[in-house]
Amino acid sequence: MNAMHQYLFDAYRAARVGEPPPPEPGTHDLAVLRALRDRRRFERVLAGRPARGGLRRALRRAGAFGTGLFRTARSRTAPSRTGPSPTGPCRTAPVAGRHPAD
């Protein structure tokens, strides 16, 4: 039985007894994750460690950063815009068979 089946059974029982239905599965997931994150930050502060950057620092120690596994937008190189593209026509050139609007 999964969470949705359990929810349907509980909602049916609540309707028969006249109670309000339980919250749908996944309703409070984000709130629980935020509370967990805040609790872990609080415990880090109490222990005298920095409150932020623990996950990224652990991944960097494990060698995950820098291998392309977790590249950020800043690490990607932007295409050069100095001249026309050698792979195709310029996008501003007129298309054959079309006339500009008068």
Side-chain angles (χ1 to χ4, degrees):
M1 179 183 314
N2 61 21
M4 184 55 85
H5 292 134
Q6 186 63 47
Y7 167 73
L8 292 173
F9 282 130
D10 292 341
Y12 173 74
R13 288 183 193 132
R16 289 195 58 163
V17 178
E19 297 176 354
E24 294 179 7
T27 303
H28 302 293
D29 287 353
L30 288 178
V32 169
L33 291 175
R34 285 186 189 116
L36 178 65
R37 180 195 61 198
D38 292 344
R39 178 66 186 182
R40 292 185 73 199
R41 283 183 181 172
F42 178 68
E43 289 173 355
R44 289 180 67 85
V45 168
L46 289 180
R49 297 188 309 261
R52 291 181 172 228
L55 177 63
R56 185 169 293 188
R57 203 171 5 263
L59 289 173
R60 192 172 290 128
R61 274 195 310 263
F65 276 108
T67 61
L69 185 61
F70 292 104
R71 283 188 354 192
T72 61
R74 286 178 273 155
S75 66
R76 295 184 185 135
T77 58
S80 174
R81 300 192 186 246
T82 57
S85 172
T87 60
C90 180
R91 292 180 187 229
T92 58
V95 177
R98 285 194 178 170
H99 300 285
D102 292 22

